[in-house]
Amino acid sequence: MRVIVITGSSDGIGADMARQLAARGGEAVALVLAARNGAMLDAVAGQCQALGAQTLAVPTDVSVQAECIALIDAAVARFGRIDALINNAGRSAHALFEDVRDLGWYEDLMRVNLWGSVWCTHAALAHLKASRGRIVAVSSLAGLVGVPGRTAYAATKFAMAGFFEALRAELKGAGVSVTTAYPGVVATRIRHHGYNAAGQQLGKSLLKEEGAMPVEECARLIIEGMEGRRREVVMTAKGKAGRFLKLVAPGLVEEMALAAVKAS
């Protein structure tokens, strides 16, 4: 039986990854599901159980280190091992830097998007080394290319990319793979729930949503990347092109980034 911990699994990409892993693995997989909303978490756990998987729902706020440690401890106490950790919990934000008056929520965002992943990974590392397991970090194309209005969000996702790239090299001899996923615009509500300039819930998306990737496809690509122990999963053709063009034509990439934002 494989034991997989998924943060941010009450909704969106995380919930769909849980359901797909349950459908693929059935009774051969145990899913440890973590998120802040306990009721939504229990609903996803029930869906996964109906597909045959064993589940453990652990309400967790990854911005609190003690809760990250408690999550990993609960997983090991229940199932005795950890074979994969999917660091998916995250929050969005969209605001022009000059419109921000109090930068406190920048720090809060970093605690969720970066430190939550760091703390969970640190707590799970010995168990993952014992199982020669897999680590997944769900970053964003905003972690490869800066997008206007996304200074806070891009900072957290660039930081994730750098941390897990360095960790991958450190763990190369230990048999633990590190896969960083870079989704583009995915059809979820994450942008609506993100911060605005005042540090409150934005309530809408300021990115162009036409052609957003279905959440099921995004979840599938991340799972395939994890199973194949791939270094990176860049989701879209535009993302792959943007990464290359950033090296040879950075001005053009800035124009592409501007084009991704709705006209105000």
Side-chain angles (χ1 to χ4, degrees):
M1 183 179 64
R2 290 201 307 160
V3 180
I4 302 173
V5 180
I6 311 173
T7 66
S9 50
S10 64
D11 194 14
I13 297 170
D16 212 83
M17 280 192 286
R19 289 187 289 265
Q20 290 191 33
L21 286 165
R24 289 173 179 229
E27 62 184 17
V29 68
L31 299 172
V32 181
L33 307 178
R36 290 181 301 170
N37 190 313
M40 293 177 66
L41 204 59
D42 287 341
V44 176
Q47 294 164 356
C48 294
Q49 289 169 10
L51 293 166
Q54 296 188 50
T55 66
L56 173 64
V58 185
T60 304
D61 182 348
V62 297
S63 71
V64 179
Q65 184 178 11
E67 295 197 23
C68 295
I69 295 170
L71 165 64
I72 300 304
D73 287 347
V76 175
R78 172 72 177 272
F79 297 113
R81 60 184 289 132
I82 296 176
D83 296 282
L85 168 64
I86 302 176
N87 292 293
N88 172 72
R91 190 167 183 183
S92 183
H94 199 127
L96 293 176
F97 187 62
E98 65 179 355
D99 293 338
V100 178
R101 296 293 172 261
D102 182 354
L103 290 169
W105 65 264
Y106 271 54
E107 184 176 359
D108 293 341
L109 191 69
M110 189 68 78
R111 290 177 70 87
V112 174
N113 291 2
L114 173 65
W115 282 106
S117 297
V118 172
W119 287 328
C120 287
T121 300
H122 188 261
L125 190 57
H127 305 290
L128 290 162
K129 290 178 72 174
S131 65
R132 299 179 70 84
R134 296 165 167 85
I135 298 170
V136 175
V138 180
S139 181
S140 166
L141 287 184
L144 292 174
V145 176
V147 177
R150 309 280 270 171
T151 53
Y153 186 69
T156 66
K157 294 302 186 178
F158 267 83
M160 279 186 74
F163 173 81
F164 283 103
E165 182 174 308
L167 183 65
R168 181 186 301 117
E170 291 184 10
L171 295 177
K172 190 169 184 178
V176 178
S177 60
V178 178
T179 300
T180 304
Y182 296 96
V185 179
V186 180
T188 71
R189 301 284 292 177
I190 185 172
R191 289 166 294 282
H192 295 71
H193 300 315
Y195 288 108
N196 63 13
Q200 299 171 344
Q201 185 168 293
L202 184 60
K204 59 184 177 181
S205 174
L206 296 179
L207 298 181
K208 293 180 180 177
E209 300 281 335
E210 300 84 0
M213 177 178 285
V215 66
E216 298 83 2
E217 182 181 356
C218 179
R220 175 182 60 79
L221 290 171
I222 295 172
I223 291 170
E224 290 175 355
M226 177 183 74
E227 300 291 15
R229 294 185 180 269
R230 291 174 55 189
R231 295 169 57 86
E232 297 177 334
V233 181
V234 181
M235 297 279 170
T236 67
K238 281 187 177 180
K240 294 173 184 176
R243 188 174 200 186
F244 171 75
L245 288 171
K246 186 177 178 181
L247 300 175
V248 297
L252 178 59
V253 175
E254 288 178 359
E255 293 300 319
M256 292 171 62
L258 283 165
V261 180
K262 287 181 180 177
S264 57

